[in-house]
């Protein structure tokens, strides 16, 4: 029961319910879960190139010759790669920070392995860096740090747009979002 | 009780609770509510210029000489004006559609009184139209109609930005929003 509480959102009560359910009705499933967990812990590592999670030296995206190596999208976590890939339409590559700059938590450039991003943009092939960190205070600070770090080595460092989410209604949007939407307005062609 | 159900979100149950509360404990408040409702119904009208709600011929924003008359922000409802004004930072004027194009519901250009917007942008003073209709399908269609209608009469017709809302996390954003955020990316200066 105690071990189950490592799962996000699982406290003592749910842990007890889960433990009993596994033991009483799902012993096979529990054994399979145990094996898969061990296999994942032992077999899954960071991609040598982009720090995405993978079972090989290179992740599927870095190994895919059809992806455009000249564009690198910087994200906070592998979950963000899932989200962008599901949205479709992005054909470049990625770099995963596994976090964001947060001096209070002792997370600086070294913890995010930004020297590896720098090494990568120094290669001639990299033309654009798109910073897709979250639209939070720490995500913005991280974006500006990356701008300073790589700006001299690529022809473009851009930030994903802030504004109204699809389906969003002005009446229910916060002030900051409305300001970004007005400032970032684009010509209607 | 039946009359109270005209209020949004109020069904038979809440109407009954409200009616009894007013009669048993808040008779003075009920009388004041009655008077204010009548005064509002009789006294509040559309601004002659922007169709915002007002008690005068011109609303407070249209009458304010400090507002920039060269910029007109087109919104769906007066509630959107509240939201933009609360966000602060916008100094232009407005035009309220009181709806959006919706052929299925019989709402066309005439119902939105778009001829009045057209008359206004034909004045020399109008330089830019910012279309701030909602980021919904109908809001987008309305924006493009307005683009066609007024494009030849002003030097700029723009649309508020779509992208990540402030504080938004990629992991939880929908695909459409992520695509807009990527497409609308801006140089990090």
């Amino acid at each position: 029961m105690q071990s189950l509480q490592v799962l996000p959102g699982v406290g003592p009560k749910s842990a007890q319910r889960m433990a009993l359910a596994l033991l009483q009705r799902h012993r096979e499933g529990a054994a399979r879960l145990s094996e898969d967990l061990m296999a994942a812990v032992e077999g899954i590592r960071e991609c040598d190139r982009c720090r995405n999670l993978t079972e090989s030296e290179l992740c599927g995206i870095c190994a895919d010759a059809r992806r455009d190596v000249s564009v690198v999208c910087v994200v906070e976590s592998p979950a963000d790669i899932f989200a962008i890939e599901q949205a479709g339409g992005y054909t470049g590559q990625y770099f995963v920070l596994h976090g964001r700059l947060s001096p209070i938590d002792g997370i600086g450039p070294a913890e995010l392995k930004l020297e590896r991003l720098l090494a990568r943009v120094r290669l001639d092939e990299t033309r654009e860096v798109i910073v897709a960190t979250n639209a939070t205070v720490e995500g913005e600070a991280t974006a500006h740090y990356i701008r300073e770090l790589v700006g001299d080595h690529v022809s473009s460092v851009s930030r994903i747009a802030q504004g109204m989410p699809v389906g969003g209604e002005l009446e229910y949007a916060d002030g900051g979002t409305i300001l970004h939407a007005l400032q970032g307005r684009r010509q209607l062609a």
Side-chain angles (χ1 to χ4, degrees), chain A residues 46 51 95 97 108-118:
Chain A
E46 283 184 14
R51 303 192 65 207
F95 184 82
L97 302 174
E111 282 69 28
L112 304 181
K113 304 207 175 136
L114 281 173
E115 75 281 357
R116 283 169 59 181
L117 176 64
L118 185 59

Side-chain angles (χ1 to χ4, degrees), chain A residues 51 72 74 95-97 101 108-123 126 128-131 133 140-158:
Chain A
R51 303 192 65 207
V72 179
V74 180
F95 184 82
V96 184
L97 302 174
L101 290 180
E111 282 69 28
L112 304 181
K113 304 207 175 136
L114 281 173
E115 75 281 357
R116 283 169 59 181
L117 176 64
L118 185 59
R120 188 155 154 205
V121 298
R122 276 185 169 143
L123 301 175
T126 310
E128 177 176 9
V129 171
I130 302 174
V131 187
T133 50
E140 292 298 334
T142 307
H144 281 92
Y145 185 92
I146 291 172
R147 164 74 186 78
E148 294 302 309
L149 185 72
V150 306
D152 293 341
H153 303 285
V154 289
S155 56
S156 166
V157 184
S158 61

